Amino acid sequence: AGNAWVEHLAWSSHTSSGVPVFATAAGKKLNLWSAHGELLLAYPDHPSTISSLQWKPNSRTPVLTSATYGQVALWAVDS
């Protein structure tokens, strides 16, 4: 999940495909994985270390939120 320790993990079973996914944050790296551990998507590096991950609750489409120093980013997982 990057060249650093995985510091944050966020699990979601609410994808449009019905397949559970999880996100990992290691340093500036954010990755999306299948429930079987296959890398689905490597997001662009964040400007600084990721300090938090959270899935948007009750959303029609899954949205992952990542926070860094001075920035919050929203990621539409299915598009």
Side-chain angles (χ1 to χ4, degrees), residues 3-68:
N3 291 332
W5 291 93
V6 172
E7 298 156 338
H8 304 282
L9 177 88
W11 176 266
S12 176
S13 58
H14 303 290
T15 61
S16 61
S17 65
V19 177
V21 295
F22 64 97
T24 59
K28 297 179 182 182
K29 304 269 184 211
L30 175 61
N31 293 319
L32 187 68
W33 305 85
S34 75
H36 300 289
E38 299 163 337
L39 180 62
L40 300 174
L41 185 60
Y43 292 94
D45 281 3
H46 283 57
S48 60
T49 301
I50 298 168
S51 59
S52 182
L53 293 178
Q54 181 66 47
W55 291 97
K56 182 179 177 187
N58 306 321
S59 176
R60 286 188 339 186
T61 59
V63 176
L64 177 64
T65 305
S66 59
T68 64

